Amino acid sequence: MELLPQALVDGIMLGAIYIIIAIGFSLVYGVMHVIDFAVGEWIMLGGFAGFYLNEWTHVEPMLLLPAVFAVFAVVGYLFQPLIHRVLSGHRGNPLLMGLVFTFGLSLMFRGLAQTFFGFYSHSVPSRFSNGSFFLQEGGFSMTVSSVRLAGLLYALLITGILHYLLKHTDFGLGVRALAQNRDAAGLMGVNNKRTSAYVYGIYVGISAMTGVLIGMILSLSAKMGPDYTIFAFFVVVLAGMGYLAGVPAAAFLLGIIQSFFLIYLDPGYTLLAVFAILYTILLVSPRGLFGKGV
Amino acid sequence: MKKAVWLALIAAVAFAVPLRAAEKRDFFKVGVVTELSGDLATGGNVTKRGYDLWAEAVNKAGGIAIGGRKYKVKLYYSDAQSNPSQGAAAAERLITQEKVDFILGPYSSGVTIAVAPVVEKYKVPMITGSAESPLIWKQKFLYTFGTIPPVNFTGAAAIQTLAGLSPAPKTAVIFGSNDTFSKATAEAFESAAKKAGIKVLKFNIVPAGQDLTPLMSAAKVLNPDLVAFGGHDEELIKLVKSLRQIDFTPKALLMHYGVTEPAFVEALGKDANQTFGGAVWTASEKTKSKILWKDSPTYAAAAMKAFHVPADYTQAGSSAAGIAFQVALEKIKATPPISEAKRAELIKALEGVDVETFYGRVKFATEGDYYHANVGLNPLTIQIQGGKVVVVGPKRDAEAKAQYPMTPWDKR
């Protein structure tokens, strides 16, 4: 019982990592109807960009995040037309085409990363990585790591900004219109190609920043991508495919389940528990936790 | 025109086939199955460096000397992609298509266990310069050998060293990742701890690659003297970071393979210091040899020159695997290509190998639970001190005193 607050805090911190992994992924699915299997590799590439930038400039990686975002947002923006081309035209099953295309991308990025960055694992050194707060009240105590807290704040900030962008700007209106009905949005003057490119740019930028953060909290290696892709996929499926507002709740739920299993039950069955709960929820509510997915 | 090209192609293939069948060559075809990509690519590439260095050194010396002639070696790589079934397919391809004479084996125990039945089926000898799970040797494969002793042989030594420290650790939390090697490591730690009178407060096998921070929070409450973990490179780095983040410093932190990898120190900086590990070889170990490299420092220097990273015991074990083949081939005077009968003879010769190498003594067990694993070596306990790998046990091999108990994270 004395571990309860710690289990909750650890779960929430884990959930925060899942939010930032999954939120851009969900946005891209909602707007472009692409299940981007390269999400883990965008995270990995961003992490390495942060790692080398830090090595080069010795600037605190937290402060490098905007620069990493800017570079990768441009990369994503320039990349999107390729995906658009694969999805459009008279092709049989655009969803499948997108899946195969991004899966291929992920393999290619991983291979290139192994060639250029080597096989070793790295860590992005940050002054936040070292600190922690210890709180004690009565019989309860908990330790909160400062770098994980920074991760949580970052996740909340990104969620807040995306919420504002989607609900309170003209661009967001266009994005939501596209997600609802591409043809009708086009007729109303929303430029599908350009809006999708912006969205993909934002997603790649967020994923890249997430990579830097993961490098600070956990570790970084050329082969890390698939682990994160799988969790992004789970969170998004649990939230409801393309239902952005469901992502934080789904991510926190997964994080807390995992944390409780690791602490209270058998750690060996953590992933089994996560999958079992995921499948049960999908059986009861196939469109995700809130029934609002596609 | 097109027709002519097709005909030429068919003719070329038709001529090529008989040429292959009547193969005559003056070099050994050495197959290498290891993890060049995927999750275990780090370790796979460490073995590759070891095998490459051996081949380069042998060829530089003119080749393997048999009956007054020297035969060079040529390595044929096949990527196991960190996947046991791909590893088995890779071995099959090397044997049936490339027709290799013998095989240098995978980095991981999981892939080795999948490859062993394939080499058994085709009767092609294999030595792995890395795999450490005792499960491989228990199955008594005739054609599979290994230069690194099994982890229950080496892991126990580290616990014994720790039990001899003052004040001796009384309690432990032990866990391992759910893969063949890591699980065996954790189990070896557990049984050795029990034998040494250390109370195991918690023992868990966890899914590989997870964030273990919550589990470490639970361990922190138990406040064990010793935290011991069986895992691979990236997991070790994550674990130390987790302990750092929840601000828990046990008296001793023990891991196994991966601590000696340069990446561990590079990624963790001063947080890597004082971590204990198990090893069977270090760059400064006192060894003497007449084959290729005269001692450990000479090998370490050659490795540094070739790859610009310090060599660890897996890389050394991989080079030693090549040496073991070399010694056995010279003994039976086998010339390439090696026939099936000669390969059977090679197995007998390997079983008889007892040789001092730069890596230490290589002698394969011929019976019991360690069947065909190298039992010629002394397990060492190492500790990272000032960013360097230092031997701290057993006493007669120790280069420095163990730093114990660990300095708290925030006082470093």
Side-chain angles (χ1 to χ4, degrees), chain A residues 37-67:
Chain A
F37 261 60
V39 60
E41 274 63 36
W42 287 123
I43 290 174
M44 177 266 293
L45 290 175
F48 271 102
F51 174 75
Y52 285 114
L53 262 180
N54 168 267
E55 226 179 39
W56 185 41
T57 60
H58 298 287
V59 174
E60 163 62 37
M62 273 288 182
L63 301 176
L64 290 172
L65 291 181

Short mmCIF file of all heavy atoms in Angstrom, two decimals, chain A residues 37-67:
data_model
loop_
_atom_site.label_atom_id
_atom_site.label_comp_id
_atom_site.label_asym_id
_atom_site.label_seq_id
_atom_site.Cartn_x
_atom_site.Cartn_y
_atom_site.Cartn_z
N PHE A 37 4.00 3.55 -40.05
CA PHE A 37 4.84 2.60 -39.32
C PHE A 37 6.27 3.10 -39.15
O PHE A 37 7.09 2.42 -38.53
CB PHE A 37 4.83 1.23 -40.02
CG PHE A 37 3.89 0.29 -39.37
CD1 PHE A 37 2.55 0.60 -39.28
CD2 PHE A 37 4.35 -0.89 -38.79
CE1 PHE A 37 1.67 -0.26 -38.63
CE2 PHE A 37 3.47 -1.75 -38.14
CZ PHE A 37 2.12 -1.43 -38.06
N ALA A 38 6.56 4.28 -39.67
CA ALA A 38 7.92 4.81 -39.50
C ALA A 38 7.99 5.72 -38.27
O ALA A 38 9.02 6.35 -38.04
CB ALA A 38 8.36 5.55 -40.74
N VAL A 39 6.93 5.79 -37.48
CA VAL A 39 6.93 6.73 -36.35
C VAL A 39 8.13 6.48 -35.42
O VAL A 39 8.79 7.43 -34.99
CB VAL A 39 5.58 6.71 -35.58
CG1 VAL A 39 5.25 5.35 -35.01
CG2 VAL A 39 5.59 7.72 -34.43
N GLY A 40 8.43 5.23 -35.13
CA GLY A 40 9.55 4.90 -34.24
C GLY A 40 10.87 5.38 -34.83
O GLY A 40 11.77 5.80 -34.11
N GLU A 41 10.96 5.33 -36.17
CA GLU A 41 12.22 5.75 -36.81
C GLU A 41 12.34 7.27 -36.83
O GLU A 41 13.42 7.80 -36.70
CB GLU A 41 12.30 5.18 -38.23
CG GLU A 41 12.90 3.78 -38.27
CD GLU A 41 12.06 2.74 -37.55
OE1 GLU A 41 10.81 2.84 -37.60
OE2 GLU A 41 12.64 1.85 -36.91
N TRP A 42 11.21 7.98 -36.97
CA TRP A 42 11.28 9.45 -36.86
C TRP A 42 11.75 9.83 -35.46
O TRP A 42 12.55 10.74 -35.26
CB TRP A 42 9.92 10.11 -37.15
CG TRP A 42 9.49 10.10 -38.59
CD1 TRP A 42 8.33 9.56 -39.10
CD2 TRP A 42 10.17 10.66 -39.71
NE1 TRP A 42 8.27 9.74 -40.46
CE2 TRP A 42 9.39 10.43 -40.86
CE3 TRP A 42 11.38 11.36 -39.86
CZ2 TRP A 42 9.77 10.85 -42.13
CZ3 TRP A 42 11.75 11.78 -41.13
CH2 TRP A 42 10.95 11.51 -42.25
N ILE A 43 11.24 9.08 -34.47
CA ILE A 43 11.65 9.32 -33.08
C ILE A 43 13.16 9.08 -32.93
O ILE A 43 13.88 9.90 -32.37
CB ILE A 43 10.85 8.39 -32.13
CG1 ILE A 43 9.39 8.84 -32.07
CG2 ILE A 43 11.47 8.36 -30.73
CD1 ILE A 43 8.47 7.91 -31.28
N MET A 44 13.61 7.95 -33.51
CA MET A 44 15.02 7.60 -33.42
C MET A 44 15.90 8.65 -34.11
O MET A 44 16.89 9.11 -33.54
CB MET A 44 15.21 6.21 -34.06
CG MET A 44 16.61 5.68 -34.13
SD MET A 44 17.40 6.06 -35.67
CE MET A 44 16.46 5.07 -36.83
N LEU A 45 15.49 9.07 -35.31
CA LEU A 45 16.30 10.05 -36.04
C LEU A 45 16.36 11.37 -35.29
O LEU A 45 17.41 12.01 -35.19
CB LEU A 45 15.73 10.26 -37.45
CG LEU A 45 15.89 9.08 -38.42
CD1 LEU A 45 15.18 9.37 -39.74
CD2 LEU A 45 17.37 8.79 -38.69
N GLY A 46 15.21 11.78 -34.72
CA GLY A 46 15.18 13.02 -33.93
C GLY A 46 16.10 12.90 -32.73
O GLY A 46 16.84 13.84 -32.40
N GLY A 47 16.07 11.74 -32.08
CA GLY A 47 16.92 11.51 -30.91
C GLY A 47 18.39 11.67 -31.27
O GLY A 47 19.15 12.33 -30.57
N PHE A 48 18.77 11.09 -32.42
CA PHE A 48 20.17 11.19 -32.83
C PHE A 48 20.53 12.64 -33.19
O PHE A 48 21.64 13.09 -32.91
CB PHE A 48 20.47 10.26 -34.00
CG PHE A 48 20.89 8.89 -33.53
CD1 PHE A 48 20.00 7.83 -33.55
CD2 PHE A 48 22.17 8.69 -33.04
CE1 PHE A 48 20.38 6.58 -33.08
CE2 PHE A 48 22.56 7.44 -32.58
CZ PHE A 48 21.67 6.39 -32.60
N ALA A 49 19.57 13.35 -33.80
CA ALA A 49 19.83 14.76 -34.14
C ALA A 49 20.12 15.52 -32.84
O ALA A 49 21.09 16.30 -32.77
CB ALA A 49 18.63 15.36 -34.86
N GLY A 50 19.32 15.27 -31.80
CA GLY A 50 19.53 15.93 -30.52
C GLY A 50 20.87 15.53 -29.91
O GLY A 50 21.61 16.37 -29.39
N PHE A 51 21.18 14.25 -30.02
CA PHE A 51 22.42 13.72 -29.45
C PHE A 51 23.64 14.41 -30.07
O PHE A 51 24.52 14.92 -29.38
CB PHE A 51 22.48 12.21 -29.66
CG PHE A 51 23.77 11.58 -29.23
CD1 PHE A 51 24.06 11.40 -27.90
CD2 PHE A 51 24.70 11.17 -30.18
CE1 PHE A 51 25.26 10.82 -27.49
CE2 PHE A 51 25.90 10.59 -29.79
CZ PHE A 51 26.18 10.42 -28.45
N TYR A 52 23.65 14.46 -31.42
CA TYR A 52 24.82 15.05 -32.09
C TYR A 52 24.86 16.57 -31.93
O TYR A 52 25.92 17.16 -31.77
CB TYR A 52 24.84 14.65 -33.57
CG TYR A 52 25.30 13.21 -33.73
CD1 TYR A 52 24.44 12.23 -34.22
CD2 TYR A 52 26.59 12.83 -33.36
CE1 TYR A 52 24.85 10.91 -34.34
CE2 TYR A 52 27.01 11.51 -33.48
CZ TYR A 52 26.14 10.56 -33.98
OH TYR A 52 26.55 9.26 -34.09
N LEU A 53 23.67 17.21 -31.96
CA LEU A 53 23.62 18.66 -31.75
C LEU A 53 24.18 19.01 -30.38
O LEU A 53 24.93 19.97 -30.23
CB LEU A 53 22.16 19.15 -31.84
CG LEU A 53 21.70 19.74 -33.16
CD1 LEU A 53 20.25 20.16 -33.04
CD2 LEU A 53 22.57 20.93 -33.53
N ASN A 54 23.80 18.21 -29.38
CA ASN A 54 24.27 18.45 -28.02
C ASN A 54 25.78 18.25 -27.93
O ASN A 54 26.49 19.03 -27.29
CB ASN A 54 23.53 17.52 -27.05
CG ASN A 54 24.16 17.51 -25.68
OD1 ASN A 54 24.99 16.67 -25.38
ND2 ASN A 54 23.79 18.47 -24.85
N GLU A 55 26.26 17.21 -28.61
CA GLU A 55 27.69 16.93 -28.58
C GLU A 55 28.48 18.07 -29.22
O GLU A 55 29.56 18.43 -28.78
CB GLU A 55 27.97 15.62 -29.33
CG GLU A 55 28.89 14.70 -28.58
CD GLU A 55 29.12 13.40 -29.32
OE1 GLU A 55 29.25 13.37 -30.55
OE2 GLU A 55 29.17 12.39 -28.63
N TRP A 56 27.86 18.63 -30.23
CA TRP A 56 28.51 19.65 -31.02
C TRP A 56 28.47 21.01 -30.32
O TRP A 56 29.46 21.73 -30.25
CB TRP A 56 27.82 19.69 -32.39
CG TRP A 56 28.41 20.60 -33.40
CD1 TRP A 56 29.74 20.81 -33.63
CD2 TRP A 56 27.69 21.43 -34.31
NE1 TRP A 56 29.90 21.72 -34.64
CE2 TRP A 56 28.66 22.11 -35.07
CE3 TRP A 56 26.35 21.65 -34.58
CZ2 TRP A 56 28.31 23.02 -36.07
CZ3 TRP A 56 26.00 22.55 -35.57
CH2 TRP A 56 26.98 23.22 -36.32
N THR A 57 27.29 21.35 -29.79
CA THR A 57 27.12 22.71 -29.24
C THR A 57 27.22 22.76 -27.72
O THR A 57 27.37 23.83 -27.16
CB THR A 57 25.73 23.26 -29.63
OG1 THR A 57 24.73 22.37 -29.09
CG2 THR A 57 25.54 23.34 -31.13
N HIS A 58 27.07 21.59 -27.06
CA HIS A 58 27.04 21.52 -25.59
C HIS A 58 25.90 22.32 -24.98
O HIS A 58 25.98 22.77 -23.84
CB HIS A 58 28.38 21.97 -24.99
CG HIS A 58 29.51 21.09 -25.39
ND1 HIS A 58 29.68 19.81 -24.89
CD2 HIS A 58 30.51 21.29 -26.28
CE1 HIS A 58 30.74 19.27 -25.46
NE2 HIS A 58 31.25 20.14 -26.32
N VAL A 59 24.86 22.54 -25.76
CA VAL A 59 23.68 23.24 -25.24
C VAL A 59 22.76 22.21 -24.60
O VAL A 59 22.64 21.08 -25.10
CB VAL A 59 22.95 23.97 -26.40
CG1 VAL A 59 21.64 24.59 -25.92
CG2 VAL A 59 23.85 25.04 -26.99
N GLU A 60 22.13 22.56 -23.49
CA GLU A 60 21.18 21.68 -22.82
C GLU A 60 20.13 21.16 -23.84
O GLU A 60 19.49 21.95 -24.53
CB GLU A 60 20.52 22.48 -21.69
CG GLU A 60 19.23 21.91 -21.13
CD GLU A 60 19.39 20.54 -20.51
OE1 GLU A 60 20.43 20.29 -19.87
OE2 GLU A 60 18.49 19.71 -20.70
N PRO A 61 19.97 19.83 -23.94
CA PRO A 61 19.08 19.28 -24.97
C PRO A 61 17.63 19.80 -24.89
O PRO A 61 16.97 19.92 -25.92
CB PRO A 61 19.12 17.77 -24.73
CG PRO A 61 20.06 17.53 -23.63
CD PRO A 61 20.71 18.80 -23.22
N MET A 62 17.18 20.13 -23.69
CA MET A 62 15.83 20.69 -23.57
C MET A 62 15.69 21.96 -24.42
O MET A 62 14.66 22.22 -25.00
CB MET A 62 15.55 21.05 -22.11
CG MET A 62 15.02 19.92 -21.30
SD MET A 62 13.33 19.61 -21.80
CE MET A 62 12.90 18.31 -20.69
N LEU A 63 16.77 22.73 -24.46
CA LEU A 63 16.74 23.99 -25.22
C LEU A 63 16.91 23.74 -26.72
O LEU A 63 16.62 24.61 -27.54
CB LEU A 63 17.85 24.94 -24.74
CG LEU A 63 17.78 25.31 -23.26
CD1 LEU A 63 18.98 26.16 -22.85
CD2 LEU A 63 16.49 26.07 -22.95
N LEU A 64 17.38 22.53 -27.05
CA LEU A 64 17.57 22.21 -28.47
C LEU A 64 16.27 21.75 -29.13
O LEU A 64 16.18 21.66 -30.35
CB LEU A 64 18.62 21.10 -28.61
CG LEU A 64 20.06 21.48 -28.30
CD1 LEU A 64 20.93 20.23 -28.30
CD2 LEU A 64 20.58 22.47 -29.33
N LEU A 65 15.26 21.46 -28.30
CA LEU A 65 14.02 20.89 -28.84
C LEU A 65 13.42 21.74 -29.98
O LEU A 65 13.06 21.20 -31.02
CB LEU A 65 12.99 20.67 -27.73
CG LEU A 65 13.33 19.56 -26.72
CD1 LEU A 65 12.24 19.43 -25.67
CD2 LEU A 65 13.51 18.23 -27.43
N PRO A 66 13.31 23.08 -29.80
CA PRO A 66 12.71 23.86 -30.91
C PRO A 66 13.50 23.72 -32.20
O PRO A 66 12.91 23.63 -33.29
CB PRO A 66 12.77 25.30 -30.39
CG PRO A 66 12.86 25.18 -28.89
CD PRO A 66 13.59 23.91 -28.62
N ALA A 67 14.84 23.68 -32.10
CA ALA A 67 15.66 23.55 -33.31
C ALA A 67 15.39 22.21 -33.99
O ALA A 67 15.23 22.13 -35.22
CB ALA A 67 17.13 23.68 -32.95
#
